[in-house]
Amino acid sequence: MDKEFLTVGELARLMGTTVRTLQYYDQEGLLKPSAKSEGGRRLYSTKDIVKLHQILSFKYLGFSLEEIRNRLLTLDTPQDVAMALEHQKLAIREEIEALQEALQAVSKLEEEVLADQEVDFTKYAEIIGFLKTGNQGYWVWKHMDEPLRHHIRDRFGEDADAGLKIYEAYKEMVEEALILKRRGEAADSALSQELADRWWNMVLEFTGGDLNLIVQLEAFNNAKGEWNNEMAKKQQEIDAFMNAVLHCYFDGKIS
């Protein structure tokens, strides 16, 4: 029997794995030994070696032990195996994309840490939160002063989506303002005033009606030399136009 079978230790050495792994595979029903010695030791046949090689190969390709046990070892045709591998290719691509995003987030956070020249783990966590959602608007957050950040935490802390929606609405309105300004739209035209109405309502939604925050928003806008280059250029181009549009808007409210 010793010539026909391998002990668990011998099989582990032959296949480059561990005794503990083989014992776990036995407990999970992945690889049962074909026999046991009189003393109760696990004994594995040539067929078991082939099956273990299959398990380790599928595991190397990223399949879970559950998938290997319940699906892969029971596949009957090359087409079935090819389909399983195709699904695994898609999963691996998604994992690669996720790792690339994580790498970009780490690199970006490294830049921010070195730029600040101080340790601020609260700010790091907030930046990571922006990066995890795929939102590149973290540059807005990092250039805001603490009172504005405190307001955002209090107002949107439990509803991050609401804050992001306001930011996305702001970007869309900047684009609309650029179009109106570049084509020479009058500040008091219906289109300009409709934009002014939405712009002001956005400000009210963001501030929650606290008009004292408008001064801080103006200070934030005036510091746009430190902003993201693209958004800074767009905002700078529309500043005079939007000031005129909002001036007409408030004149209309008063009259």
Side-chain angles (χ1 to χ4, degrees):
M1 180 172 287
D2 290 339
K3 294 180 180 180
E4 296 179 31
F5 293 92
L6 295 176
T7 65
V8 66
E10 291 171 335
L11 179 60
R13 286 192 295 274
L14 177 67
M15 300 299 293
T17 186
T18 66
V19 170
R20 187 170 183 177
T21 295
L22 295 178
Q23 291 171 340
Y24 180 72
Y25 288 173
D26 183 6
Q27 294 170 2
E28 293 297 308
L30 268 168
L31 182 67
K32 292 287 186 182
S34 293
K36 286 190 176 182
S37 69
E38 293 180 0
R41 292 193 302 172
R42 295 175 176 85
L43 298 173
Y44 295 87
S45 67
T46 302
K47 184 177 179 180
D48 295 329
I49 297 174
V50 173
K51 187 173 183 179
L52 176 59
H53 189 275
Q54 292 174 325
I55 293 170
L56 295 177
S57 297
F58 282 129
K59 191 168 181 290
Y60 170 77
L61 294 175
F63 289 102
S64 68
L65 293 181
E66 184 177 358
E67 288 175 317
I68 295 171
R69 179 181 58 234
N70 296 334
R71 291 178 50 227
L72 299 177
L73 294 180
T74 60
L75 297 177
D76 297 322
T77 69
Q79 289 75 18
D80 291 338
V81 176
M83 183 174 293
L85 292 174
E86 183 63 30
H87 287 308
Q88 189 63 9
K89 280 167 55 180
L90 294 174
I92 291 173
R93 287 195 187 104
E94 290 176 358
E95 186 173 352
I96 290 172
E97 290 175 3
L99 288 172
Q100 288 175 334
E101 290 177 2
L103 178 59
Q104 291 173 359
V106 169
S107 299
K108 184 58 67 175
L109 182 58
E110 181 183 20
E111 292 175 10
E112 300 297 342
V113 170
L114 293 175
D116 283 350
Q117 294 297 313
E118 64 178 357
V119 176
D120 187 344
F121 286 107
T122 299
K123 185 176 180 181
Y124 300 161
E126 289 163 347
I127 292 174
I128 291 170
F130 279 115
L131 295 174
K132 282 174 65 178
T133 62
N135 173 38
Q136 296 303 310
Y138 71 91
W139 60 268
V140 176
W141 181 262
K142 75 175 183 177
H143 290 305
M144 285 182 172
D145 59 17
E146 186 51 37
L148 274 177
R149 289 186 192 172
H150 181 74
H151 166 74
I152 292 172
R153 291 190 199 103
D154 284 349
R155 181 155 173 74
F156 304 110
E158 296 182 0
D159 189 7
D161 286 344
L164 292 177
K165 285 177 182 177
I166 292 177
Y167 175 65
E168 292 301 323
Y170 160 72
K171 290 198 299 182
E172 289 178 7
M173 282 188 271
V174 167
E175 296 295 339
E176 289 183 45
L178 280 171
I179 293 172
L180 295 179
K181 183 259 180 187
R182 288 173 181 175
R183 75 184 188 193
E185 190 76 27
D188 60 353
S189 74
L191 286 175
S192 295
Q193 289 305 293
E194 191 272 335
L195 176 60
D197 186 64
R198 285 188 287 121
W199 189 286
W200 181 241
N201 283 324
M202 172 191 68
V203 171
L204 292 177
E205 184 178 2
F206 175 79
T207 61
D210 183 357
L211 299 185
N212 292 322
L213 289 171
I214 293 177
V215 175
Q216 295 172 26
L217 285 174
E218 288 178 350
F220 170 67
N221 182 53
N222 292 335
K224 55 180 168 289
E226 302 175 355
W227 289 11
N228 167 286
N229 289 336
E230 183 181 356
M231 285 302 297
K233 289 177 182 177
K234 291 178 178 179
Q235 182 63 52
Q236 190 169 16
E237 183 177 344
I238 68 169
D239 270 348
F241 174 72
M242 285 306 303
N243 284 338
V245 168
L246 289 169
H247 183 76
C248 292
Y249 178 76
F250 290 123
D251 279 351
K253 289 282 188 182
I254 294 173
S255 60

